[in-house]
Amino acid sequence: MQDTDELNDAGYEIPIGCYVFMRCFFSADIMLFDTNKGSRCILDGDVGYPSNEWKFLNCDFNTFFARLVTCNGVMFWRW
């Protein structure tokens, strides 16, 4: 919630019910949970654009994280 509060305080329009769970280094990209949505709840945000232009990922939370930690077909910690 700290990142969400910081971005709101800085003037960014984080939608109500959305919470930042990941900030990308060296870019303006953020990933948010939208508690108002069902299984497709991950919002790809870019603080350089208005929040109404941000897009939802076409996957659920589990699929998102499985893809995030996979490298050449296996979980990265097995390399």
Side-chain angles (χ1 to χ4, degrees):
M1 298 242 316
Q2 180 179 350
D3 287 333
T4 304
D5 292 340
E6 285 177 13
L7 290 171
N8 275 323
D9 291 345
Y12 295 105
E13 297 178 12
I14 305 297
I16 293 173
C18 288
Y19 301 94
V20 176
F21 71 91
M22 186 170 68
R23 293 173 85 168
C24 300
F25 291 123
F26 311 112
S27 76
D29 290 319
I30 57 175
M31 303 302 287
L32 305 101
F33 287 120
D34 187 339
T35 60
N36 301 311
K37 293 285 186 178
S39 62
R40 306 276 190 250
C41 61
I42 301 174
L43 186 60
D44 176 14
D46 185 327
V47 295
Y49 294 91
S51 60
N52 64 346
E53 293 183 22
W54 298 350
K55 304 288 184 206
F56 282 94
L57 300 185
N58 191 22
C59 63
D60 60 25
F61 181 76
N62 187 54
T63 303
F64 170 76
F65 272 94
R67 290 177 181 164
L68 187 66
V69 300
T70 302
C71 176
N72 294 329
V74 251
M75 300 305 169
F76 74 89
W77 55 85
R78 296 204 174 125
W79 278 93

